[in-house]
Amino acid sequence: MALLPETRDRAAADRVRTRLAAAGAALLVVGAGLGLRAVATGSVAKYGGDALYTVLLLCLVVLVAPRVSPLRAAGSALAVSCLVEFLQLSPVPADLSRRSTLARLVLGSTFNPPDLFWYAVGAAAGWLLHTAVRSLRARPARLRAAART
């Protein structure tokens, strides 16, 4: 069954809005991470940054694939976070981190098992937020559908 033109237009507009929201959220997460590093030290800064790293990846997943479910977005972000962490068991990230600040921020340099837990915390927090936002955005659509019946 083909979608009505207005339905296609609405779906395209929803994807654009979702991408804009994801981009805005990504900027907020980066700001939160930089702010956390500016005001906190030690474990709070380190592990809070780990959780925010995964939330940022979730935002980027939604930016690329705006129709992705919250669970898939969180799972993808968690998988990439863990992959990067396990990559740190090789010398590649440490070598790149010595050459580039950006590489150090993105890849880290040293494997740290507790990071895996904090990535899961970030994925869970991102999943909850994504689910809540999706639920709030779906409410007007449900009201429109109810008005038509």
Side-chain angles (χ1 to χ4, degrees):
M1 181 173 134
L3 294 174
L4 298 173
E6 73 179 45
T7 306
R8 269 193 308 239
D9 292 345
R10 188 175 300 136
D14 284 346
R15 286 192 297 274
V16 169
R17 278 192 294 275
T18 299
R19 283 190 168 113
L20 288 172
L27 290 174
L28 286 173
V29 171
V30 168
L34 293 173
L36 182 64
R37 289 285 181 163
V39 300
T41 59
S43 295
V44 171
K46 165 118 181 61
Y47 296 125
D50 288 344
L52 288 171
Y53 178 82
T54 303
V55 174
L56 175 61
L57 290 174
L58 186 146
C59 292
L60 296 176
V61 167
V62 174
L63 183 66
V64 170
R67 293 170 54 179
V68 68
S69 73
L71 186 59
R72 282 187 188 240
S76 298
L78 179 59
V80 171
S81 297
C82 291
L83 179 68
V84 168
E85 190 68 28
F86 282 111
L87 181 64
Q88 293 170 1
L89 291 169
S90 78
V92 173
D95 185 45
L96 292 172
S97 292
R98 278 190 292 278
R99 296 183 210 177
S100 165
T101 301
L102 181 61
R104 187 177 75 246
L105 291 171
V106 173
L107 298 176
S109 61
T110 308
F111 179 77
N112 185 27
D115 289 353
L116 300 170
F117 170 76
W118 291 103
Y119 295 146
V121 169
W127 172 78
L128 283 171
L129 286 169
H130 189 190
T131 300
V133 167
R134 242 186 175 195
S135 176
L136 289 172
R137 290 190 65 204
R139 189 174 297 163
R142 287 192 302 264
L143 293 174
R144 282 192 303 272
R148 280 188 237 133
T149 58

